[in-house]
Coordinates of all heavy atoms in Angstrom, one line a residue:
P1 N -11.6 2.0 -30.1 CA -10.5 1.9 -29.1 C -9.2 2.3 -29.5 O -8.4 2.8 -28.6 CB -10.6 0.3 -28.7 CG -11.3 -0.3 -29.9 CD -12.2 0.8 -30.5
E2 N -8.8 2.2 -30.7 CA -7.5 2.7 -31.2 C -7.3 4.2 -31.0 O -6.3 4.6 -30.5 CB -7.3 2.3 -32.7 CG -7.1 0.8 -32.9 CD -5.7 0.3 -32.5 OE1 -4.8 1.1 -32.3 OE2 -5.6 -1.0 -32.4
R3 N -8.4 4.9 -31.4 CA -8.3 6.4 -31.2 C -8.3 6.8 -29.8 O -7.5 7.7 -29.4 CB -9.5 7.0 -31.9 CG -9.6 8.5 -31.8 CD -10.7 9.1 -32.6 NE -10.7 10.6 -32.4 CZ -11.8 11.2 -32.1 NH1 -13.0 10.6 -32.0 NH2 -11.7 12.6 -31.9
L4 N -9.1 6.2 -28.9 CA -9.2 6.5 -27.6 C -7.9 6.1 -26.8 O -7.4 6.8 -26.0 CB -10.4 5.8 -26.9 CG -11.0 6.6 -25.7 CD1 -11.3 8.0 -26.1 CD2 -12.2 5.8 -25.2
A5 N -7.3 4.9 -27.2 CA -6.0 4.5 -26.6 C -4.9 5.5 -27.0 O -4.1 5.9 -26.1 CB -5.7 3.1 -27.1
A6 N -5.0 6.0 -28.2 CA -3.9 6.9 -28.6 C -4.0 8.3 -27.8 O -3.0 8.8 -27.5 CB -4.1 7.2 -30.1
F7 N -5.2 8.7 -27.6 CA -5.5 10.0 -26.8 C -4.9 9.8 -25.4 O -4.1 10.6 -24.9 CB -7.0 10.3 -26.7 CG -7.4 11.3 -25.8 CD1 -7.3 12.7 -26.2 CD2 -7.7 11.1 -24.4 CE1 -7.6 13.7 -25.3 CE2 -8.1 12.1 -23.6 CZ -8.0 13.4 -24.0
W8 N -5.3 8.7 -24.7 CA -4.9 8.4 -23.3 C -3.4 8.1 -23.2 O -2.7 8.5 -22.3 CB -5.7 7.4 -22.7 CG -7.1 7.9 -22.3 CD1 -8.3 7.8 -23.0 CD2 -7.4 8.8 -21.1 NE1 -9.3 8.5 -22.3 CE2 -8.8 9.1 -21.2 CE3 -6.6 9.3 -20.1 CZ2 -9.4 9.9 -20.2 CZ3 -7.3 10.1 -19.2 CH2 -8.6 10.4 -19.2
S9 N -2.9 7.5 -24.3 CA -1.4 7.1 -24.3 C -0.7 8.5 -24.3 O 0.3 8.6 -23.6 CB -1.1 6.4 -25.6 OG 0.3 6.2 -25.7
E10 N -1.0 9.4 -25.2 CA -0.3 10.7 -25.3 C -0.5 11.4 -24.0 O 0.4 12.1 -23.5 CB -0.8 11.5 -26.5 CG -0.1 12.8 -26.7 CD 1.3 12.5 -27.2 OE1 1.6 11.5 -27.8 OE2 2.2 13.4 -26.9
L11 N -1.7 11.5 -23.5 CA -2.0 12.3 -22.3 C -1.3 11.8 -21.1 O -0.7 12.6 -20.3 CB -3.5 12.2 -22.0 CG -4.0 13.2 -20.9 CD1 -3.8 14.6 -21.3 CD2 -5.5 12.9 -20.5
L12 N -1.2 10.5 -20.9 CA -0.6 9.9 -19.7 C 0.9 9.5 -19.9 O 1.6 9.1 -18.9 CB -1.4 8.7 -19.2 CG -2.8 8.9 -18.8 CD1 -3.5 7.6 -18.5 CD2 -2.9 9.9 -17.7
G13 N 1.4 9.5 -21.1 CA 2.8 9.1 -21.4 C 2.9 7.6 -21.2 O 4.0 7.1 -20.8
R14 N 1.9 6.9 -21.5 CA 1.8 5.4 -21.4 C 1.7 4.8 -22.8 O 0.6 5.0 -23.4 CB 0.7 4.8 -20.5 CG 0.9 5.0 -19.1 CD -0.3 4.3 -18.4 NE -0.3 4.5 -17.0 CZ -1.0 3.7 -16.1 NH1 -1.7 2.7 -16.6 NH2 -0.9 3.9 -14.8
P15 N 2.7 4.2 -23.3 CA 2.5 3.7 -24.7 C 1.5 2.6 -24.8 O 1.3 1.8 -23.8 CB 3.9 3.2 -25.1 CG 4.6 3.0 -23.8 CD 4.0 3.9 -22.8
V16 N 1.0 2.4 -26.0 CA 0.1 1.2 -26.3 C 1.1 0.0 -26.4 O 2.1 0.1 -27.1 CB -0.6 1.4 -27.6 CG1 -1.3 0.2 -28.1 CG2 -1.6 2.6 -27.5
V17 N 0.7 -1.0 -25.7 CA 1.7 -2.1 -25.6 C 1.0 -3.4 -26.2 O 1.7 -4.5 -26.3 CB 2.2 -2.4 -24.2 CG1 3.1 -1.3 -23.8 CG2 1.1 -2.6 -23.2
G18 N -0.3 -3.4 -26.4 CA -0.8 -4.6 -26.9 C -2.2 -4.5 -27.4 O -2.9 -3.5 -27.1
R19 N -2.6 -5.5 -28.3 CA -4.0 -5.6 -28.8 C -4.4 -7.0 -28.7 O -3.6 -7.9 -29.2 CB -4.0 -5.0 -30.2 CG -3.8 -3.5 -30.4 CD -3.3 -3.2 -31.8 NE -3.2 -1.7 -31.9 CZ -2.1 -1.1 -31.5 NH1 -1.0 -1.8 -31.0 NH2 -2.0 0.2 -31.6
T20 N -5.6 -7.2 -28.1 CA -6.1 -8.6 -28.0 C -7.6 -8.5 -28.3 O -8.3 -7.9 -27.5 CB -5.9 -9.1 -26.6 OG1 -4.5 -9.0 -26.2 CG2 -6.3 -10.6 -26.4
G21 N -8.0 -9.2 -29.3 CA -9.4 -9.1 -29.7 C -10.0 -7.7 -29.7 O -9.3 -6.9 -30.4
P22 N -11.0 -7.4 -29.0 CA -11.6 -6.1 -29.1 C -10.9 -5.0 -28.1 O -11.3 -3.9 -27.9 CB -13.0 -6.3 -28.6 CG -12.9 -7.4 -27.6 CD -11.8 -8.3 -28.2
Y23 N -9.7 -5.4 -27.5 CA -9.0 -4.6 -26.5 C -7.7 -4.0 -27.1 O -7.0 -4.6 -27.8 CB -8.6 -5.5 -25.3 CG -9.8 -6.0 -24.6 CD1 -10.3 -7.3 -24.9 CD2 -10.5 -5.3 -23.6 CE1 -11.3 -7.9 -24.2 CE2 -11.6 -5.8 -23.0 CZ -12.0 -7.1 -23.2 OH -13.1 -7.6 -22.6
V24 N -7.4 -2.8 -26.6 CA -6.1 -2.1 -26.8 C -5.7 -1.7 -25.4 O -6.4 -1.2 -24.6 CB -6.3 -0.8 -27.7 CG1 -5.0 -0.2 -27.9 CG2 -6.9 -1.2 -29.1
W25 N -4.4 -2.1 -25.2 CA -3.8 -1.9 -23.8 C -2.7 -0.9 -23.8 O -1.8 -0.8 -24.6 CB -3.3 -3.3 -23.3 CG -4.2 -4.4 -23.3 CD1 -4.4 -5.3 -24.3 CD2 -5.3 -4.6 -22.4 NE1 -5.4 -6.2 -24.0 CE2 -6.0 -5.8 -22.8 CE3 -5.7 -4.0 -21.3 CZ2 -7.1 -6.3 -22.1 CZ3 -6.7 -4.5 -20.5 CH2 -7.4 -5.7 -21.0
L26 N -2.7 -0.1 -22.7 CA -1.6 0.8 -22.4 C -0.7 0.1 -21.4 O -1.1 -0.8 -20.8 CB -2.1 2.1 -21.8 CG -3.0 3.0 -22.6 CD1 -3.2 4.3 -22.0 CD2 -2.6 3.1 -24.1
R27 N 0.5 0.6 -21.4 CA 1.5 0.0 -20.5 C 1.0 0.0 -19.0 O 0.5 1.0 -18.6 CB 2.8 0.8 -20.5 CG 4.0 0.2 -19.7 CD 5.2 1.0 -19.8 NE 5.0 2.4 -19.2 CZ 5.6 3.5 -19.7 NH1 6.5 3.4 -20.6 NH2 5.4 4.6 -19.1
R28 N 1.3 -1.1 -18.3 CA 0.9 -1.3 -16.9 C 1.8 -0.3 -16.1 O 3.1 -0.4 -16.3 CB 1.0 -2.7 -16.5 CG 0.7 -3.0 -15.1 CD 0.8 -4.5 -14.7 NE -0.1 -5.3 -15.5 CZ -1.3 -5.5 -15.1 NH1 -1.8 -4.9 -14.0 NH2 -2.1 -6.2 -15.9
E29 N 1.3 0.4 -15.2 CA 2.1 1.1 -14.2 C 1.4 1.0 -12.9 O 0.2 1.0 -12.8 CB 2.1 2.6 -14.6 CG 3.0 2.8 -15.9 CD 3.2 4.3 -16.2 OE1 2.9 5.2 -15.4 OE2 3.7 4.6 -17.3
N30 N 2.2 1.0 -11.8 CA 1.8 0.9 -10.5 C 0.8 -0.3 -10.3 O -0.3 -0.2 -9.7 CB 1.1 2.2 -10.0 CG 2.1 3.3 -10.0 OD1 3.2 3.2 -9.6 ND2 1.6 4.5 -10.5
E31 N 1.1 -1.4 -11.0 CA 0.3 -2.6 -11.0 C -1.1 -2.5 -11.6 O -2.0 -3.3 -11.3 CB 0.3 -3.2 -9.6 CG 1.7 -3.5 -9.1 CD 1.7 -4.3 -7.8 OE1 0.7 -5.1 -7.6 OE2 2.6 -4.2 -7.0
L32 N -1.3 -1.4 -12.4 CA -2.7 -1.2 -13.0 C -2.5 -1.0 -14.5 O -1.7 -0.2 -14.9 CB -3.3 0.0 -12.3 CG -4.8 0.3 -12.6 CD1 -5.7 -0.8 -12.1 CD2 -5.2 1.6 -12.1
V33 N -3.4 -1.6 -15.2 CA -3.3 -1.5 -16.7 C -4.6 -0.7 -17.1 O -5.7 -0.9 -16.5 CB -3.2 -2.8 -17.4 CG1 -4.4 -3.7 -17.3 CG2 -2.8 -2.6 -18.9
L34 N -4.5 0.0 -18.1 CA -5.7 0.8 -18.7 C -5.9 0.2 -20.1 O -5.0 0.1 -20.9 CB -5.4 2.2 -18.8 CG -6.4 3.2 -19.3 CD1 -7.7 3.1 -18.4 CD2 -5.9 4.6 -19.3
G35 N -7.2 -0.3 -20.3 CA -7.5 -0.9 -21.5 C -8.8 -0.2 -22.1 O -9.6 0.4 -21.4
F36 N -8.9 -0.4 -23.4 CA -10.0 0.1 -24.2 C -10.7 -1.0 -25.0 O -10.0 -1.7 -25.8 CB -9.5 1.3 -25.1 CG -8.9 2.4 -24.3 CD1 -7.5 2.3 -24.0 CD2 -9.6 3.4 -23.7 CE1 -6.8 3.2 -23.2 CE2 -9.0 4.3 -22.9 CZ -7.6 4.3 -22.7
Q37 N -12.0 -1.2 -24.7 CA -12.7 -2.3 -25.3 C -13.7 -1.8 -26.3 O -14.5 -0.9 -26.1 CB -13.5 -3.0 -24.2 CG -14.3 -4.2 -24.7 CD -15.1 -4.9 -23.6 OE1 -15.1 -4.4 -22.5 NE2 -15.8 -5.9 -24.0
R38 N -13.7 -2.4 -27.5 CA -14.6 -2.0 -28.6 C -16.0 -2.4 -28.2 O -16.2 -3.5 -27.8 CB -14.2 -2.6 -29.9 CG -15.1 -2.2 -31.1 CD -14.8 -2.8 -32.4 NE -13.7 -3.7 -32.5 CZ -12.4 -3.3 -32.7 NH1 -12.0 -2.1 -32.7 NH2 -11.5 -4.3 -32.9
T39 N -16.9 -1.4 -28.3 CA -18.3 -1.7 -28.1 C -19.1 -1.2 -29.3 O -18.6 -0.3 -30.0 CB -18.9 -1.0 -26.8 OG1 -18.6 0.4 -27.0 CG2 -18.1 -1.4 -25.6
G40 N -20.3 -1.6 -29.4 CA -21.1 -1.2 -30.6 C -22.0 0.1 -30.3 O -22.6 0.6 -31.3

């Protein structure tokens, strides 16, 4: 999720703003947040 969040952060111009458990979050825009969840 760190690598994927970094890709989408750069692509969309939304910084990574948080990490919670298996999630990495990009900045919320237009009332919508984009998150990346670690899976096996």
Side-chain angles (χ1 to χ4, degrees):
E2 291 286 343
R3 178 175 179 228
L4 212 51
F7 171 86
W8 284 100
S9 173
E10 186 68 28
L11 188 66
L12 299 175
R14 287 187 183 196
V16 172
V17 294
R19 291 162 179 83
T20 309
Y23 298 94
V24 179
W25 305 100
L26 299 189
R27 181 180 65 210
R28 179 179 296 276
E29 289 187 13
N30 301 316
E31 300 191 31
L32 188 67
V33 67
L34 184 58
F36 302 88
Q37 177 182 5
R38 183 179 359 279
T39 60

